[in-house]
């Protein structure tokens, strides 16, 4: 689908007067519409909860918006749990889907009464020790079927190569042990393909998990209270890619539910999801300004953002669509590499990209950066992470995370003999 920025050049200029580029901008109206659509798509299932994957965009302001739709949070680390706590979530509104989990993380999750979704068979014993033998009433286990997971349009992923989850045998044994230890209600979870742009992924995964849950229930006589389809619903980063339709996805899951679970007497099972990318990617953009142009063997545009602000292109060669604000209708008759300032040649937001002629001072709107964008930030080359702003429904921009400062960057040296000189240098 054609990509249209959710702000104009004039709006960008106005916002940049208060908050200099680069910055992230999130579109509250778009976020709310999408949350409502997700809720509606699964409204046929009374227990449905979307647990927003906090790692995608760990910002409490955005998390708070999602609470208006009854959503909870999927956390995988101590600090993500802290964020869930900070927005007032606790108990069954927190899904703790971690892996290689430190003891202190499990302890905090247990203190918050989060649902523990164990990644590995050995974690059963690990958690039992940490919790002095007292398991919560509800426990979930993460499944990995191995092999490849293929959909009819050829899209596939490789669970057999992924570090997550447990084998079917381990899963069976795990539920059996937990039942013996007094656990009353169970969940099952799997994440088998990432960034899928097909309406088939969730329904196919649901079919597999529903059948498995039915089989486990028959064998072990345990009660499944939820089935967690996790994340993996993707977005169309490229204009020519197909676009997921959450209503079709929800209906596809419903069909599997009615075919498999309802006849088995499992019509009380709640459907949970842990979407991150689908919830926010399209509703966040990285706004950056062109500050240099360079003509050597190729044409380069240098911008004031770099890969520390958005790592996906450098890390995975990921495509992010770019609109030059104010030049939306101009011909894309120039071919550029759009680059940041890191001393790393993979610091390129676009390679050989056809764009309108870019002039210094132009604002570039880098699309679909609302998830796995700012959150993957780092500080290589001493570069600082930028601010996050929320474009509110009344058109105003609110700062929801300030930019990192030099003081933040050097804070881990503040107890050393160099601290004073670093402060002085910052004021030169
Ligand atoms: C990353 C992750 C998600 C979210 O994935 P998206 O692709 O952003 O939807 C959900 N659950 C778990 C356990 C994850 O690790």
């Amino acid at each position: 689908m054609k990509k249209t920025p959710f702000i104009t050049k004039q709006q960008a200029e106005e916002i940049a007067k208060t908050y200099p580029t680069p910055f992230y901008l999130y579109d509250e109206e778009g976020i709310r519409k999408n949350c409502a659509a997700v809720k509606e798509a699964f409204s046929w299932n009374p227990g449905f909860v979307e647990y927003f994957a906090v790692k995608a965009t760990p910002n409490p302001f955005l998390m708070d918006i999602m609470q208006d739709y009854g959503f909870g949070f999927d956390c995988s680390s101590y600090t993500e749990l802290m964020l869930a706590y900070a927005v007032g979530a606790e108990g069954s509104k927190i899904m703790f889907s971690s892996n290689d989990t430190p003891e202190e993380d499990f302890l905090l999750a247990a203190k918050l009464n989060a649902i523990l979704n164990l990644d590995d068979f050995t974690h059963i014993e690990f958690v039992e020790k940490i919790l002095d033998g007292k398991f919560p009433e509800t426990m979930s286990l993460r499944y990995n079927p191995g092999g490849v997971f293929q959909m009819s349009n050829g899209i596939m992923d490789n669970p057999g190569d992924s570090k997550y989850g447990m084998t079917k045998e381990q899963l069976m044994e795990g539920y059996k042990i937990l039942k013996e230890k007094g656990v009353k209600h169970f969940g099952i979870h799997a994440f088998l393909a990432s960034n899928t742009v097909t309406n088939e992924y969730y329904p196919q995964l649901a079919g597999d998990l529903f059948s498995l849950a039915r089989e486990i229930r028959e064998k072990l006589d345990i009660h499944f209270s939820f089935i967690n389809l996790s994340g993996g619903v993707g977005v169309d980063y490229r204009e020519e890619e197909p676009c997921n339709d959450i209503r079709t996805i929800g209906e596809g899951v419903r069909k599997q539910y009615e075919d498999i679970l309802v006849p088995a007497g499992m019509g009380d099972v709640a459907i949970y999801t842990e979407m991150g990318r689908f919830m926010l990617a399209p509703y966040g953009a990285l706004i950056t300004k062109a500050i240099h142009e360079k003509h050597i063997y190729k044409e380069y545009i240098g911008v004031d953002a770099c890969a520390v602000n958005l790592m996906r292109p450098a890390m995975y060669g990921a495509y992010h669509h770019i609109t030059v604000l104010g030049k939306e209708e101009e011909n894309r008759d120039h071919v550029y590499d759009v680059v940041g300032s890191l001393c790393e040649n993979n610091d390129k937001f676009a390679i050989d990209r056809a764009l309108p002629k870019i002039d210094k001072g132009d604002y570039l709107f880098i699309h679909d950066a609302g998830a796995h964008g700012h959150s993957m930030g780092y500080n290589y080359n001493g570069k600082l992470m930028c601010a996050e702003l929320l474009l509110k429904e009344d058109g105003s921009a609110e700062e929801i995370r300030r930019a990192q400062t030099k003081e933040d960057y050097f804070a881990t040296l503040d107890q050393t003999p160099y601290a004073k000189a670093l402060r002085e240098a910052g004021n030169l």
Side-chain angles (χ1 to χ4, degrees):
M1 236 173 20
K2 184 168 158 46
K3 293 198 180 280
T4 315
F6 51 77
I7 50 162
T8 60
K9 181 184 181 188
Q10 286 70 28
Q11 276 176 297
E13 281 170 345
E14 198 53 42
I15 295 168
K17 282 184 195 158
T18 314
Y19 307 107
T21 53
F23 54 79
Y24 270 81
L25 188 65
Y26 301 94
D27 171 26
E28 179 170 8
E29 187 185 338
I31 293 171
R32 287 190 179 278
K33 275 195 184 141
N34 187 54
C35 285
V38 167
K39 196 174 165 179
E40 173 65 26
F42 288 91
S43 57
W44 54 267
N45 182 258
F48 172 74
V49 181
E50 149 69 4
Y51 290 85
F52 172 65
V54 174
K55 74 161 191 255
T57 319
N59 187 297
F61 289 86
L62 303 178
M63 291 165 68
D64 234 346
I65 291 176
M66 297 193 206
Q67 294 200 111
D68 290 349
Y69 301 84
F71 297 169
F73 303 105
D74 160 32
C75 303
S76 63
S77 69
Y78 198 98
T79 46
E80 288 178 6
L81 287 165
M82 289 170 69
L83 274 173
Y85 177 82
V87 297
E90 59 178 346
S92 61
K93 280 295 163 71
I94 305 177
M95 180 69 60
F96 190 54
S97 291
S98 59
N99 71 94
D100 187 20
T101 316
E103 180 172 331
E104 59 169 2
D105 295 25
F106 271 131
L107 265 177
L108 180 58
K111 267 189 202 149
L112 297 174
N113 295 311
I115 301 174
L116 303 184
N117 177 34
L118 303 186
D119 176 71
D120 187 47
F121 183 72
T122 62
H123 288 4
I124 296 172
E125 206 183 324
F126 191 71
V127 166
E128 185 176 24
K129 246 190 219 139
I130 296 170
L131 302 183
D132 293 326
K134 290 191 279 295
F135 283 105
E137 276 208 345
T138 302
M139 290 286 295
S140 177
L141 299 180
R142 181 167 183 168
Y143 173 52
N144 181 337
V148 294
F149 184 84
Q150 185 149 15
M151 284 153 279
S152 66
N153 62 0
I155 292 184
M156 54 179 232
D157 217 323
N158 281 301
D161 281 341
S162 99
K163 66 172 177 169
Y164 307 110
M166 41 190 115
T167 67
K168 188 171 168 184
E169 292 70 31
Q170 291 174 331
L171 206 63
M172 285 285 183
E173 189 60 20
Y175 287 119
K176 194 163 150 244
I177 293 170
L178 289 172
K179 184 190 177 191
E180 284 162 12
K181 307 269 182 197
V183 176
K184 299 249 173 346
H185 310 288
F186 293 89
I188 188 166
H189 168 280
F191 189 156
L192 303 187
S194 200
N195 190 29
T196 56
V197 278
T198 159
N199 294 329
E200 269 181 51
Y201 171 62
Y202 260 4
Q204 190 173 327
L205 171 68
D208 290 357
L209 284 182
F210 294 170
S211 301
L212 181 62
R214 185 181 59 186
E215 182 187 336
I216 295 170
R217 190 187 105 147
E218 275 164 17
K219 285 212 176 107
L220 302 177
D221 189 29
I222 59 171
H223 176 243
F224 277 98
S225 57
F226 67 85
I227 292 176
N228 185 343
L229 304 177
S230 193
V233 178
V235 299
D236 44 331
Y237 286 100
R238 291 173 187 269
E239 288 192 319
E240 62 273 21
E241 272 180 300
C243 180
N244 278 331
D245 175 43
I246 198 65
R247 181 180 285 267
T248 306
I249 291 173
E251 281 306 304
V253 174
R254 185 221 281 252
K255 181 159 188 323
Q256 299 286 357
Y257 192 95
E258 286 171 357
D259 285 354
I260 301 169
L261 290 183
V262 174
M266 296 172 77
D268 64 333
V269 173
I271 299 302
Y272 292 169
T273 55
E274 297 174 340
M275 292 181 278
R277 194 185 311 274
F278 187 80
M279 299 312 300
L280 286 186
Y283 316 108
L286 174 60
I287 315 292
T288 182
K289 194 157 70 176
I291 57 172
H292 291 289
E293 51 184 279
K294 174 165 180 164
H295 316 279
I296 48 170
Y297 309 103
K298 297 178 85 172
E299 298 293 302
Y300 293 94
I301 293 295
V303 295
D304 59 4
C306 65
V308 309
N309 306 115
L310 177 62
M311 187 194 209
R312 298 186 72 258
M315 189 175 183
Y316 317 113
Y319 178 94
H320 279 266
H321 197 73
I322 296 176
T323 300
V324 184
L325 293 177
K327 298 183 175 177
E328 287 83 350
E329 303 309 324
E330 288 184 19
N331 282 338
R332 298 182 194 172
D333 53 4
H334 284 62
V335 174
Y336 294 114
D337 280 15
V338 177
V339 305
S341 56
L342 291 190
C343 305
E344 280 284 349
N345 196 40
N346 66 358
D347 184 12
K348 298 183 174 183
F349 292 112
I351 297 174
D352 298 330
R353 183 77 58 92
L355 289 164
K357 179 174 187 309
I358 297 175
D359 296 299
K360 277 192 266 182
D362 277 346
Y363 290 97
L364 274 56
F365 183 101
I366 303 182
H367 291 257
D368 301 315
H372 310 290
H374 188 279
S375 62
M376 292 174 91
Y378 54 107
N379 283 130
Y380 190 55
N381 261 180
K383 298 289 176 178
L384 305 176
M385 287 187 259
C386 65
E388 293 182 291
L389 312 176
L390 181 63
L391 181 68
K392 314 252 281 191
E393 289 176 296
D394 65 8
S396 65
E398 182 189 5
E399 187 175 52
I400 58 172
R401 185 194 300 274
R402 66 165 172 80
Q404 241 181 355
T405 62
K406 302 173 199 76
E407 291 73 23
D408 294 332
Y409 179 73
F410 289 118
T412 45
L413 291 173
D414 63 359
Q415 302 296 318
T416 71
Y418 306 100
K420 188 161 162 284
L422 284 168
R423 271 198 304 278
E424 279 166 19
N427 293 326
L428 288 177

